[in-house]
Amino acid sequence: MDLSTRDLDNIRIVTVNEPRIDAAIAIQFKDEMRALVHGGPARVVLDLSHVGFIDSSGLGAVVAAMKQSGTAQHFELAGLTRSVKKVFALTRMDRVFTIHADVTAINGGLADAG
Amino acid sequence: MLAENLSFMGHARDRGTFNRLSGDTGLHLVFPAGEQAVRRALATATGAFKGMGLDPDAIELAELVLAEVFNNVVEHAYAAHAGGIIELEAWRDTDRLHMRVRDDGVPMPGGALPKGQRHDPKVETRDLPEGGFGWSIIRDLAQDLRYQRDGMRNDMSFALDLGEFAISR
């Protein structure tokens, strides 16, 4: 499970460096996200730009990660690829998450400064 | 009853092997029911679909439906079983990709395919479901979804409309 993180002021960007979030890694993903979200900064942005495939197990793990965020925390998504976007739309989870086109668009390009 | 069924499962085929038996017009895969094997089977299937001349959008959706169907077999049909095999047959005609998935696991509860649960946008974040998306994805994307218990086997078939993609592109 390859996740990389960057902290910028009050934002933590977690980039998933895996081509797939599927049943084979969903549990591990959920566990590692728990550690990165819990007690993290006020905003956590999950960068999915390298993920070309997500199944319902992976989607459930992303939902679980969001649910792990505290009441004062925001959990957001960025960089959904076409096929990942389709799964979010099919399951209507696109209405549940704040979704950014890509991480560089967050906070007026602040993310790029890192 | 359950234990008796289980003792017979998974021996019908040479499990542990990937066999691609057919040519460009069809695909026949037999593979072990496990998460890594499902990954490899999906890679093989999408490669074969490309060879059948399917549109990338159609391949993407076919992969998603198959992933959900295979995961269901691994997680439920074979849940109480250390191993087993999954068999996929896929073939296309002019405007449809036909798929048939069989396994030797326990039958679907109630002998029928589960309904997909729809997300209710009014649900609070803390109450969001972390699972159960699979069947709604399958039901949204697959046509002519059929299931039958054939002796000791589960036999499921469905199709993906290819014409839809020709129009949308």
Side-chain angles (χ1 to χ4, degrees):
Chain A
M1 181 87 248
D2 187 350
L3 301 176
S4 56
T5 57
R6 284 193 294 165
D7 283 355
L8 311 144
D9 294 336
N10 63 338
I11 305 178
R12 172 168 293 169
I13 295 173
V14 181
T15 303
V16 183
N17 300 305
E18 297 278 347
R20 307 169 72 87
I21 307 180
D22 59 10
I25 63 165
I27 291 169
Q28 203 189 343
F29 173 81
K30 193 169 137 179
D31 288 346
E32 294 191 19
M33 283 304 293
R34 182 182 296 127
L36 294 171
V37 170
H38 188 74
R43 285 175 75 190
V44 177
V45 180
L46 185 65
D47 174 12
L48 294 171
S49 57
H50 302 300
V51 179
F53 179 87
I54 192 166
D55 65 11
S56 65
S57 313
L59 181 69
V62 173
V63 171
M66 178 179 66
K67 288 168 71 176
Q68 281 154 13
S69 59
T71 44
Q73 262 182 328
H74 287 282
F75 184 86
E76 301 162 22
L77 304 177
L80 273 60
T81 58
R82 259 167 53 91
S83 94
V84 170
K85 211 179 274 180
K86 263 183 215 162
V87 174
F88 274 81
L90 270 172
T91 54
R92 301 184 186 175
M93 285 296 117
D94 56 345
R95 303 180 196 181
V96 170
F97 288 91
T98 302
I99 300 174
H100 305 278
D102 63 273
V103 286
T104 60
I106 296 162
N107 265 18
L110 174 70
D112 244 359
Chain B
M1 164 69 180
L2 188 66
E4 191 182 303
N5 280 352
L6 292 175
S7 67
F8 289 98
M9 292 194 311
H11 301 291
R13 307 270 167 167
D14 50 338
R15 67 165 122 159
T17 57
F18 276 80
N19 295 326
R20 193 182 157 187
L21 303 175
S22 353
D24 285 343
T25 53
L27 171 72
H28 185 188
L29 272 179
V30 180
F31 57 97
E35 288 159 352
Q36 295 301 332
V38 163
R39 270 192 175 184
R40 291 195 297 275
L42 290 172
T44 305
T46 51
F49 296 156
K50 203 174 168 190
M52 292 177 199
L54 259 67
D55 182 282
D57 282 353
I59 294 174
E60 224 166 59
L61 295 184
E63 180 179 16
L64 181 58
V65 176
L66 283 178
E68 299 304 340
V69 170
F70 293 163
N71 288 345
N72 185 70
V73 173
V74 174
E75 288 162 21
H76 299 288
Y78 286 128
H81 199 251
I85 54 111
I86 303 176
E87 189 171 356
L88 164 70
E89 284 175 89
W91 65 99
R92 74 163 293 181
D93 55 32
T94 321
D95 52 7
R96 281 192 149 193
L97 175 67
H98 302 270
M99 288 164 277
R100 182 178 188 191
V101 176
R102 284 176 286 181
D103 66 78
D104 304 308
V106 296
M108 287 282 174
L113 298 176
K115 289 188 167 59
Q117 65 180 46
R118 285 232 169 263
H119 167 59
D120 174 359
K122 291 192 287 287
V123 162
E124 299 273 341
T125 300
R126 64 173 186 280
D127 299 325
L128 281 173
E130 293 171 28
F133 301 114
W135 282 103
S136 89
I137 290 174
I138 295 167
R139 289 192 175 275
D140 273 349
L141 299 178
Q143 281 100 42
D144 289 348
L145 194 54
R146 290 197 179 98
Y147 166 76
Q148 60 167 347
R149 183 72 180 173
D150 178 16
M152 301 297 285
R153 310 198 86 190
N154 292 312
D155 184 350
M156 193 175 155
S157 63
F158 46 93
L160 199 66
D161 228 327
L162 302 175
E164 217 173 279
F165 300 101
I167 294 162
S168 68
R169 277 173 74 83

